[in-house]
PDB file of all heavy atoms in Angstrom:
ATOM      1  N   MET A   1      97.783-106.359 -87.914  1.00 95.00           N
ATOM      2  CA  MET A   1      98.926-106.375 -87.036  1.00 95.00           C
ATOM      3  C   MET A   1      98.963-105.066 -86.323  1.00 95.00           C
ATOM      4  O   MET A   1      98.878-104.012 -86.965  1.00 95.00           O
ATOM      5  CB  MET A   1     100.178-106.645 -87.907  1.00 95.00           C
ATOM      6  CG  MET A   1     101.482-106.483 -87.171  1.00 95.00           C
ATOM      7  SD  MET A   1     103.023-107.054 -87.918  1.00 95.00           S
ATOM      8  CE  MET A   1     102.872-106.855 -89.630  1.00 95.00           C
ATOM      9  N   SER A   2      99.141-105.119 -85.042  1.00 97.00           N
ATOM     10  CA  SER A   2      99.282-103.904 -84.231  1.00 97.00           C
ATOM     11  C   SER A   2     100.664-103.326 -84.431  1.00 97.00           C
ATOM     12  O   SER A   2     101.600-103.984 -84.900  1.00 97.00           O
ATOM     13  CB  SER A   2      99.016-104.163 -82.788  1.00 97.00           C
ATOM     14  OG  SER A   2     100.120-104.953 -82.243  1.00 97.00           O
ATOM     15  N   ALA A   3     100.868-102.072 -84.027  1.00 98.00           N
ATOM     16  CA  ALA A   3     102.177-101.455 -84.059  1.00 98.00           C
ATOM     17  C   ALA A   3     103.175-102.231 -83.249  1.00 98.00           C
ATOM     18  O   ALA A   3     104.315-102.475 -83.617  1.00 98.00           O
ATOM     19  CB  ALA A   3     102.085-100.005 -83.593  1.00 98.00           C
ATOM     20  N   SER A   4     102.729-102.699 -82.053  1.00 98.00           N
ATOM     21  CA  SER A   4     103.615-103.504 -81.197  1.00 98.00           C
ATOM     22  C   SER A   4     104.004-104.795 -81.863  1.00 98.00           C
ATOM     23  O   SER A   4     105.143-105.248 -81.790  1.00 98.00           O
ATOM     24  CB  SER A   4     102.948-103.768 -79.840  1.00 98.00           C
ATOM     25  OG  SER A   4     102.798-102.554 -79.115  1.00 98.00           O
ATOM     26  N   SER A   5     103.040-105.447 -82.524  1.00 98.00           N
ATOM     27  CA  SER A   5     103.341-106.714 -83.235  1.00 98.00           C
ATOM     28  C   SER A   5     104.274-106.469 -84.402  1.00 98.00           C
ATOM     29  O   SER A   5     105.155-107.336 -84.712  1.00 98.00           O
ATOM     30  CB  SER A   5     102.054-107.341 -83.727  1.00 98.00           C
ATOM     31  OG  SER A   5     101.201-107.703 -82.680  1.00 98.00           O
ATOM     32  N   PHE A   6     104.156-105.352 -85.072  1.00 98.00           N
ATOM     33  CA  PHE A   6     105.053-104.960 -86.186  1.00 98.00           C
ATOM     34  C   PHE A   6     106.471-104.849 -85.647  1.00 98.00           C
ATOM     35  O   PHE A   6     107.389-105.469 -86.198  1.00 98.00           O
ATOM     36  CB  PHE A   6     104.553-103.635 -86.763  1.00 98.00           C
ATOM     37  CG  PHE A   6     105.309-103.118 -87.907  1.00 98.00           C
ATOM     38  CD1 PHE A   6     105.524-103.854 -89.056  1.00 98.00           C
ATOM     39  CD2 PHE A   6     105.820-101.789 -87.897  1.00 98.00           C
ATOM     40  CE1 PHE A   6     106.203-103.349 -90.175  1.00 98.00           C
ATOM     41  CE2 PHE A   6     106.480-101.265 -89.005  1.00 98.00           C
ATOM     42  CZ  PHE A   6     106.698-102.051 -90.125  1.00 98.00           C
ATOM     43  N   LEU A   7     106.664-104.160 -84.557  1.00 98.00           N
ATOM     44  CA  LEU A   7     107.963-103.993 -83.933  1.00 98.00           C
ATOM     45  C   LEU A   7     108.535-105.369 -83.554  1.00 98.00           C
ATOM     46  O   LEU A   7     109.686-105.667 -83.795  1.00 98.00           O
ATOM     47  CB  LEU A   7     107.850-103.064 -82.705  1.00 98.00           C
ATOM     48  CG  LEU A   7     109.098-102.874 -81.837  1.00 98.00           C
ATOM     49  CD1 LEU A   7     110.265-102.275 -82.666  1.00 98.00           C
ATOM     50  CD2 LEU A   7     108.759-101.992 -80.642  1.00 98.00           C
ATOM     51  N   GLU A   8     107.688-106.182 -82.871  1.00 98.00           N
ATOM     52  CA  GLU A   8     108.128-107.521 -82.445  1.00 98.00           C
ATOM     53  C   GLU A   8     108.526-108.377 -83.627  1.00 98.00           C
ATOM     54  O   GLU A   8     109.540-109.114 -83.565  1.00 98.00           O
ATOM     55  CB  GLU A   8     107.053-108.147 -81.613  1.00 98.00           C
ATOM     56  CG  GLU A   8     106.855-107.545 -80.241  1.00 98.00           C
ATOM     57  CD  GLU A   8     105.540-108.032 -79.575  1.00 98.00           C
ATOM     58  OE1 GLU A   8     104.976-109.047 -80.043  1.00 98.00           O
ATOM     59  OE2 GLU A   8     105.129-107.408 -78.582  1.00 98.00           O
ATOM     60  N   ALA A   9     107.766-108.324 -84.673  1.00 98.00           N
ATOM     61  CA  ALA A   9     108.023-109.191 -85.875  1.00 98.00           C
ATOM     62  C   ALA A   9     109.405-108.791 -86.475  1.00 98.00           C
ATOM     63  O   ALA A   9     110.149-109.660 -86.875  1.00 98.00           O
ATOM     64  CB  ALA A   9     106.925-109.018 -86.920  1.00 98.00           C
ATOM     65  N   LEU A  10     109.666-107.491 -86.594  1.00 98.00           N
ATOM     66  CA  LEU A  10     110.933-107.013 -87.135  1.00 98.00           C
ATOM     67  C   LEU A  10     112.101-107.454 -86.306  1.00 98.00           C
ATOM     68  O   LEU A  10     113.098-107.982 -86.773  1.00 98.00           O
ATOM     69  CB  LEU A  10     110.905-105.495 -87.289  1.00 98.00           C
ATOM     70  CG  LEU A  10     109.915-104.942 -88.303  1.00 98.00           C
ATOM     71  CD1 LEU A  10     109.878-103.425 -88.213  1.00 98.00           C
ATOM     72  CD2 LEU A  10     110.270-105.373 -89.771  1.00 98.00           C
ATOM     73  N   ARG A  11     111.984-107.299 -84.978  1.00 98.00           N
ATOM     74  CA  ARG A  11     113.025-107.712 -84.084  1.00 98.00           C
ATOM     75  C   ARG A  11     113.245-109.226 -84.055  1.00 98.00           C
ATOM     76  O   ARG A  11     114.383-109.713 -84.018  1.00 98.00           O
ATOM     77  CB  ARG A  11     112.772-107.214 -82.681  1.00 98.00           C
ATOM     78  CG  ARG A  11     112.960-105.691 -82.523  1.00 98.00           C
ATOM     79  CD  ARG A  11     112.769-105.193 -81.113  1.00 98.00           C
ATOM     80  NE  ARG A  11     113.193-103.822 -81.000  1.00 98.00           N
ATOM     81  CZ  ARG A  11     112.740-102.968 -80.082  1.00 98.00           C
ATOM     82  NH1 ARG A  11     111.825-103.399 -79.171  1.00 98.00           N
ATOM     83  NH2 ARG A  11     113.155-101.749 -80.030  1.00 98.00           N
ATOM     84  N   ALA A  12     112.137-109.980 -84.144  1.00 98.00           N
ATOM     85  CA  ALA A  12     112.239-111.454 -84.209  1.00 98.00           C
ATOM     86  C   ALA A  12     112.955-111.929 -85.432  1.00 98.00           C
ATOM     87  O   ALA A  12     113.525-113.008 -85.432  1.00 98.00           O
ATOM     88  CB  ALA A  12     110.857-112.078 -84.121  1.00 98.00           C
ATOM     89  N   GLU A  13     112.940-111.127 -86.503  1.00 98.00           N
ATOM     90  CA  GLU A  13     113.634-111.493 -87.735  1.00 98.00           C
ATOM     91  C   GLU A  13     115.106-111.092 -87.682  1.00 98.00           C
ATOM     92  O   GLU A  13     115.862-111.266 -88.622  1.00 98.00           O
ATOM     93  CB  GLU A  13     112.892-110.818 -88.903  1.00 98.00           C
ATOM     94  CG  GLU A  13     113.044-111.540 -90.210  1.00 98.00           C
ATOM     95  CD  GLU A  13     112.368-112.908 -90.289  1.00 98.00           C
ATOM     96  OE1 GLU A  13     111.216-113.082 -89.824  1.00 98.00           O
ATOM     97  OE2 GLU A  13     113.019-113.827 -90.815  1.00 98.00           O
ATOM     98  N   GLY A  14     115.549-110.586 -86.522  1.00 98.00           N
ATOM     99  CA  GLY A  14     116.963-110.275 -86.325  1.00 98.00           C
ATOM    100  C   GLY A  14     117.360-108.883 -86.693  1.00 98.00           C
ATOM    101  O   GLY A  14     118.578-108.603 -86.867  1.00 98.00           O
ATOM    102  N   LEU A  15     116.423-107.997 -86.909  1.00 98.00           N
ATOM    103  CA  LEU A  15     116.706-106.593 -87.318  1.00 98.00           C
ATOM    104  C   LEU A  15     116.995-105.690 -86.140  1.00 98.00           C
ATOM    105  O   LEU A  15     116.481-105.882 -85.048  1.00 98.00           O
ATOM    106  CB  LEU A  15     115.537-106.019 -88.097  1.00 98.00           C
ATOM    107  CG  LEU A  15     115.339-106.620 -89.485  1.00 98.00           C
ATOM    108  CD1 LEU A  15     113.918-106.418 -89.991  1.00 98.00           C
ATOM    109  CD2 LEU A  15     116.339-106.060 -90.451  1.00 98.00           C
ATOM    110  N   THR A  16     117.893-104.709 -86.386  1.00 98.00           N
ATOM    111  CA  THR A  16     118.087-103.627 -85.444  1.00 98.00           C
ATOM    112  C   THR A  16     117.079-102.563 -85.768  1.00 98.00           C
ATOM    113  O   THR A  16     117.067-102.012 -86.920  1.00 98.00           O
ATOM    114  CB  THR A  16     119.523-103.073 -85.545  1.00 98.00           C
ATOM    115  OG1 THR A  16     120.448-104.108 -85.250  1.00 98.00           O
ATOM    116  CG2 THR A  16     119.703-101.919 -84.574  1.00 98.00           C
ATOM    117  N   VAL A  17     116.185-102.275 -84.830  1.00 98.00           N
ATOM    118  CA  VAL A  17     115.086-101.327 -85.046  1.00 98.00           C
ATOM    119  C   VAL A  17     115.272-100.111 -84.228  1.00 98.00           C
ATOM    120  O   VAL A  17     115.531-100.199 -83.017  1.00 98.00           O
ATOM    121  CB  VAL A  17     113.745-102.002 -84.765  1.00 98.00           C
ATOM    122  CG1 VAL A  17     112.605-101.034 -85.038  1.00 98.00           C
ATOM    123  CG2 VAL A  17     113.571-103.300 -85.547  1.00 98.00           C
ATOM    124  N   VAL A  18     115.081 -98.952 -84.799  1.00 98.00           N
ATOM    125  CA  VAL A  18     115.187 -97.656 -84.119  1.00 98.00           C
ATOM    126  C   VAL A  18     113.738 -97.048 -84.140  1.00 98.00           C
ATOM    127  O   VAL A  18     113.171 -96.857 -85.231  1.00 98.00           O
ATOM    128  CB  VAL A  18     116.158 -96.708 -84.840  1.00 98.00           C
ATOM    129  CG1 VAL A  18     116.205 -95.366 -84.114  1.00 98.00           C
ATOM    130  CG2 VAL A  18     117.532 -97.353 -84.928  1.00 98.00           C
ATOM    131  N   GLU A  19     113.211 -96.810 -82.995  1.00 98.00           N
ATOM    132  CA  GLU A  19     111.882 -96.178 -82.901  1.00 98.00           C
ATOM    133  C   GLU A  19     112.041 -94.652 -82.930  1.00 98.00           C
ATOM    134  O   GLU A  19     112.765 -94.083 -82.151  1.00 98.00           O
ATOM    135  CB  GLU A  19     111.187 -96.625 -81.633  1.00 98.00           C
ATOM    136  CG  GLU A  19     110.932 -98.138 -81.593  1.00 98.00           C
ATOM    137  CD  GLU A  19     110.226 -98.578 -80.307  1.00 98.00           C
ATOM    138  OE1 GLU A  19     109.034 -98.261 -80.245  1.00 98.00           O
ATOM    139  OE2 GLU A  19     110.910 -99.189 -79.415  1.00 98.00           O
ATOM    140  N   THR A  20     111.364 -94.043 -83.880  1.00 97.00           N
ATOM    141  CA  THR A  20     111.520 -92.579 -84.124  1.00 97.00           C
ATOM    142  C   THR A  20     110.268 -91.850 -83.689  1.00 97.00           C
ATOM    143  O   THR A  20     109.163 -92.000 -84.277  1.00 97.00           O
ATOM    144  CB  THR A  20     111.783 -92.338 -85.585  1.00 97.00           C
ATOM    145  OG1 THR A  20     112.932 -93.116 -86.007  1.00 97.00           O
ATOM    146  CG2 THR A  20     112.094 -90.867 -85.846  1.00 97.00           C
ATOM    147  N   GLY A  21     110.383 -91.023 -82.654  1.00 96.00           N
ATOM    148  CA  GLY A  21     109.301 -90.190 -82.193  1.00 96.00           C
ATOM    149  C   GLY A  21     108.037 -90.987 -81.887  1.00 96.00           C
ATOM    150  O   GLY A  21     108.123 -92.102 -81.378  1.00 96.00           O
ATOM    151  N   ASP A  22     106.882 -90.448 -82.263  1.00 97.00           N
ATOM    152  CA  ASP A  22     105.612 -91.047 -81.994  1.00 97.00           C
ATOM    153  C   ASP A  22     105.191 -91.982 -83.115  1.00 97.00           C
ATOM    154  O   ASP A  22     104.003 -91.956 -83.546  1.00 97.00           O
ATOM    155  CB  ASP A  22     104.555 -89.964 -81.718  1.00 97.00           C
ATOM    156  CG  ASP A  22     104.367 -89.063 -82.941  1.00 97.00           C
ATOM    157  OD1 ASP A  22     105.207 -89.072 -83.874  1.00 97.00           O
ATOM    158  OD2 ASP A  22     103.361 -88.315 -82.982  1.00 97.00           O
ATOM    159  N   TRP A  23     106.082 -92.775 -83.644  1.00 98.00           N
ATOM    160  CA  TRP A  23     105.789 -93.538 -84.872  1.00 98.00           C
ATOM    161  C   TRP A  23     104.562 -94.387 -84.776  1.00 98.00           C
ATOM    162  O   TRP A  23     103.864 -94.572 -85.762  1.00 98.00           O
ATOM    163  CB  TRP A  23     107.030 -94.412 -85.210  1.00 98.00           C
ATOM    164  CG  TRP A  23     107.215 -95.587 -84.302  1.00 98.00           C
ATOM    165  CD1 TRP A  23     107.933 -95.614 -83.134  1.00 98.00           C
ATOM    166  CD2 TRP A  23     106.654 -96.901 -84.409  1.00 98.00           C
ATOM    167  NE1 TRP A  23     107.839 -96.860 -82.532  1.00 98.00           N
ATOM    168  CE2 TRP A  23     107.092 -97.687 -83.331  1.00 98.00           C
ATOM    169  CE3 TRP A  23     105.825 -97.513 -85.363  1.00 98.00           C
ATOM    170  CZ2 TRP A  23     106.738 -99.015 -83.163  1.00 98.00           C
ATOM    171  CZ3 TRP A  23     105.478 -98.853 -85.192  1.00 98.00           C
ATOM    172  CH2 TRP A  23     105.924 -99.611 -84.087  1.00 98.00           C
ATOM    173  N   ARG A  24     104.188 -94.883 -83.588  1.00 98.00           N
ATOM    174  CA  ARG A  24     103.020 -95.753 -83.449  1.00 98.00           C
ATOM    175  C   ARG A  24     101.711 -95.008 -83.796  1.00 98.00           C
ATOM    176  O   ARG A  24     100.754 -95.657 -84.259  1.00 98.00           O
ATOM    177  CB  ARG A  24     102.913 -96.246 -82.039  1.00 98.00           C
ATOM    178  CG  ARG A  24     104.011 -97.194 -81.634  1.00 98.00           C
ATOM    179  CD  ARG A  24     103.980 -97.478 -80.124  1.00 98.00           C
ATOM    180  NE  ARG A  24     105.155 -98.238 -79.714  1.00 98.00           N
ATOM    181  CZ  ARG A  24     105.192 -99.518 -79.511  1.00 98.00           C
ATOM    182  NH1 ARG A  24     104.111-100.260 -79.730  1.00 98.00           N
ATOM    183  NH2 ARG A  24     106.301-100.105 -79.118  1.00 98.00           N
ATOM    184  N   GLU A  25     101.671 -93.720 -83.573  1.00 98.00           N
ATOM    185  CA  GLU A  25     100.451 -92.945 -83.873  1.00 98.00           C
ATOM    186  C   GLU A  25     100.605 -92.017 -85.063  1.00 98.00           C
ATOM    187  O   GLU A  25      99.706 -91.244 -85.400  1.00 98.00           O
ATOM    188  CB  GLU A  25     100.063 -92.076 -82.633  1.00 98.00           C
ATOM    189  CG  GLU A  25      99.536 -92.938 -81.476  1.00 98.00           C
ATOM    190  CD  GLU A  25     100.679 -93.460 -80.605  1.00 98.00           C
ATOM    191  OE1 GLU A  25     101.744 -92.760 -80.516  1.00 98.00           O
ATOM    192  OE2 GLU A  25     100.548 -94.592 -80.092  1.00 98.00           O
ATOM    193  N   HIS A  26     101.802 -92.002 -85.690  1.00 98.00           N
ATOM    194  CA  HIS A  26     102.072 -91.066 -86.803  1.00 98.00           C
ATOM    195  C   HIS A  26     101.565 -91.707 -88.094  1.00 98.00           C
ATOM    196  O   HIS A  26     102.176 -92.675 -88.567  1.00 98.00           O
ATOM    197  CB  HIS A  26     103.600 -90.785 -86.806  1.00 98.00           C
ATOM    198  CG  HIS A  26     103.970 -89.698 -87.782  1.00 98.00           C
ATOM    199  ND1 HIS A  26     103.381 -88.472 -87.842  1.00 98.00           N
ATOM    200  CD2 HIS A  26     104.938 -89.724 -88.732  1.00 98.00           C
ATOM    201  CE1 HIS A  26     103.927 -87.769 -88.823  1.00 98.00           C
ATOM    202  NE2 HIS A  26     104.883 -88.470 -89.352  1.00 98.00           N
ATOM    203  N   ASN A  27     100.504 -91.166 -88.676  1.00 98.00           N
ATOM    204  CA  ASN A  27      99.902 -91.770 -89.867  1.00 98.00           C
ATOM    205  C   ASN A  27      99.062 -90.726 -90.545  1.00 98.00           C
ATOM    206  O   ASN A  27      98.916 -89.638 -90.155  1.00 98.00           O
ATOM    207  CB  ASN A  27      99.098 -93.008 -89.492  1.00 98.00           C
ATOM    208  CG  ASN A  27      98.007 -92.729 -88.536  1.00 98.00           C
ATOM    209  OD1 ASN A  27      97.129 -91.887 -88.751  1.00 98.00           O
ATOM    210  ND2 ASN A  27      98.044 -93.406 -87.378  1.00 98.00           N
TER     211      ASN A  27
END
Side-chain angles (χ1 to χ4, degrees):
M1 171 167 33
S2 69
S4 294
S5 297
F6 182 54
L7 175 61
E8 290 168 14
L10 294 171
R11 286 183 171 156
E13 208 65 44
L15 288 160
T16 300
V17 181
V18 179
E19 298 181 72
T20 306
D22 61 345
W23 72 271
R24 293 169 189 262
E25 292 83 34
H26 188 50
N27 57 57

